[in-house]
Amino acid sequence: MKPQRRSGTRVTAVGVAAVCGALALTACGSSGGSSGPAGGSSTVAAPSTGAGGIACGKPATLSASGSTAQQYAMKYWIKNYTRACAETKISYAGNGSGAGQNDFLAGRTAFAGSDSPLTADQVARSEKVCAGGGHAIHLPMVGGPIAVGFHLPGIDRLVLDAPTLAKIFNAGITKWNDPAIAALNKGVKLPATPIQVFHRSDSSGTTDNFTAYLGVAGQGAWPYPHSKTWAANGGHAVKGSADLAGQVQRTVGAIGYFELPYAVSRMIRTVSVDTGAPAPVDANVIAASHAISGAETTDNGNDVLLRLDYGTKEPGAYPIDVVTYEIVCDKGNKPATWPATKAFLTYMAGRKGQENLTFQGYATLPAKVLTKVRDEIGSLS
């Protein structure tokens, strides 16, 4: 395993609103920023305070790239941070986790967003861009469900399990009225419409997590190792979650995978997943937060990694989830941009950065994880 009801937007919106009060503020803790160094020291001067009590670092222009999963969150963070700290300019290119990793390792960005951890070889490569013997580390910042969106006129609710999803995405099931699908949807009149499968063409952490789920929970129906690149047969390849969701929205008979905010923004129906629990589980922030709360944490120095349980059968836990990491150096970050980068990361991991993410369609990370992340940010240089 790698480290890390009704469908549609009406129910999703209810889930987002309900979880905000129940989970978000608790998980974010009471501190608005870093809780201070956890060991080691930082050369960054005490930050100034901008509007809304957000601590600003030394003004700079930051470039970052990577995960499309966090793109809605990143827009929210950048808007709020730069409103308070107007002299800092931040750009984020949602070009996929693989591209974001490559940009960071080539020294083109201040940090990368990735839904998959770097490999050991990539961490070794990072020593070339992290000065003074530093290397890349991972800071989990946001989580959320990977929704399986579908487009079948007249079908409001669709239940699928991991083996059936694996066969659909590997061209083993090609019609919507296949007996395997019908058995999971008793009483539903399924059409004989051909299934149009859409998957990512770019190197994607969303693909990595989705295929990890199919491999763990698919009972042998998914014959490939999890990977950021798509390996299965057939289907239509599309770059980026936004365009993939757009194709599903426009194509009758379509199915595809993308983060929940892309389904919400386009009013795409989403699959309820039969995990073996007493009831199928919907893709919403409550169910994803429930699943992510059970993730194991692996700490190695400043590195903080989460191991998701894709095979969970816990009632109410949605199993197809993603955690996005911000990748920076443990030491040796670029001196010109590090004070601003550190202040921005501190805001993202703090109460002000985390408290309204559920309204953007994101799940809550466990409080102990965010506390650890804030401590680690305080110790980086």
Side-chain angles (χ1 to χ4, degrees), residues 195-288:
I195 298 175
Q196 302 289 335
V197 172
F198 289 89
H199 61 81
R200 292 280 290 271
S201 63
D202 50 327
S203 179
S204 162
T206 309
T207 296
D208 197 11
N209 284 271
F210 182 62
T211 56
Y213 161 74
L214 295 178
V216 169
Q219 300 177 14
W222 188 254
Y224 314 100
H226 70 81
S227 174
K228 293 192 291 292
T229 56
W230 190 256
N233 299 315
H236 308 283
V238 183
K239 184 176 181 180
S241 288
D243 287 345
L244 197 158
Q247 289 291 342
V248 172
Q249 181 186 31
R250 291 188 292 269
T251 307
V252 173
I255 190 170
Y257 59 93
F258 32 80
E259 297 77 25
L260 181 61
Y262 294 97
V264 172
S265 66
R266 291 165 175 79
M267 299 182 71
I268 297 171
R269 298 287 185 185
T270 59
V271 167
S272 298
V273 178
D274 184 345
T275 64
V281 188
D282 296 334
N284 62 49
V285 294
I286 296 174

Side-chain angles (χ1 to χ4, degrees), residues 1-374:
M1 188 183 301
K2 65 184 287 294
Q4 62 170 303
R5 329 149 176 95
R6 297 187 192 277
S7 303
T9 56
R10 180 169 63 88
V11 170
T12 298
V14 172
V16 171
V19 78
C20 183
L23 294 175
L25 298 184
T26 300
C28 294
S30 59
S31 172
S34 168
S35 58
S41 61
S42 171
T43 59
V44 180
S48 62
T49 301
I54 294 175
C56 304
K58 180 180 178 183
T61 298
L62 305 181
S63 295
S65 65
S67 164
T68 60
Q70 70 170 4
Q71 195 154 4
Y72 281 86
M74 191 59 70
K75 288 179 181 178
Y76 170 79
W77 284 325
I78 290 173
K79 180 183 72 173
N80 290 343
Y81 183 84
T82 56
R83 180 183 295 161
C85 308
E87 294 183 351
T88 293
K89 310 300 179 186
I90 306 172
S91 64
Y92 181 81
N95 53 1
S97 295
Q101 290 176 351
N102 289 335
D103 287 342
F104 179 78
L105 293 174
R108 292 189 287 266
T109 52
F111 66 92
S114 178
D115 312 322
S116 296
L118 297 170
T119 65
D121 287 344
Q122 287 176 310
V123 172
R125 283 172 52 197
S126 73
E127 295 175 2
K128 296 181 180 179
V129 296
C130 299
H135 61 80
I137 61 165
H138 307 83
L139 301 171
M141 200 65 69
V142 69
I146 299 173
V148 182
F150 67 95
H151 184 172
L152 283 175
I155 306 298
D156 293 331
R157 186 174 192 262
L158 183 70
V159 177
L160 297 172
D161 59 14
T164 306
L165 281 167
K167 292 171 186 175
I168 289 172
F169 278 90
N170 196 32
I173 294 176
T174 59
K175 298 281 188 179
W176 277 112
N177 63 348
D178 187 276
I181 300 177
L184 292 164
N185 295 273
K186 297 185 185 301
V188 178
K189 188 175 181 179
L190 295 164
T193 306
I195 298 175
Q196 302 289 335
V197 172
F198 289 89
H199 61 81
R200 292 280 290 271
S201 63
D202 50 327
S203 179
S204 162
T206 309
T207 296
D208 197 11
N209 284 271
F210 182 62
T211 56
Y213 161 74
L214 295 178
V216 169
Q219 300 177 14
W222 188 254
Y224 314 100
H226 70 81
S227 174
K228 293 192 291 292
T229 56
W230 190 256
N233 299 315
H236 308 283
V238 183
K239 184 176 181 180
S241 288
D243 287 345
L244 197 158
Q247 289 291 342
V248 172
Q249 181 186 31
R250 291 188 292 269
T251 307
V252 173
I255 190 170
Y257 59 93
F258 32 80
E259 297 77 25
L260 181 61
Y262 294 97
V264 172
S265 66
R266 291 165 175 79
M267 299 182 71
I268 297 171
R269 298 287 185 185
T270 59
V271 167
S272 298
V273 178
D274 184 345
T275 64
V281 188
D282 296 334
N284 62 49
V285 294
I286 296 174
S289 295
H290 186 32
I292 293 172
S293 69
E296 296 180 6
T297 304
T298 303
D299 298 334
N300 181 14
N302 299 107
D303 223 5
V304 184
L305 295 171
L306 298 182
R307 186 182 296 273
L308 299 174
D309 181 6
Y310 302 105
T312 182
K313 296 182 181 179
E314 178 73 19
Y318 184 77
I320 320 174
D321 300 304
V322 61
V323 170
T324 297
Y325 301 94
E326 312 310 329
I327 298 174
V328 294
C329 300
D330 63 342
K331 61 179 178 178
N333 290 281
K334 294 180 175 63
T337 57
W338 177 240
T341 301
K342 182 173 183 176
F344 184 48
L345 293 173
T346 299
Y347 156 72
M348 289 161 62
R351 183 185 180 91
K352 292 183 180 297
Q354 292 283 319
E355 63 185 354
N356 288 322
L357 287 180
T358 49
F359 287 116
Q360 313 299 318
Y362 293 98
T364 305
L365 295 185
K368 63 181 180 181
V369 172
L370 288 170
T371 298
K372 174 71 172 175
V373 169
R374 291 192 290 266

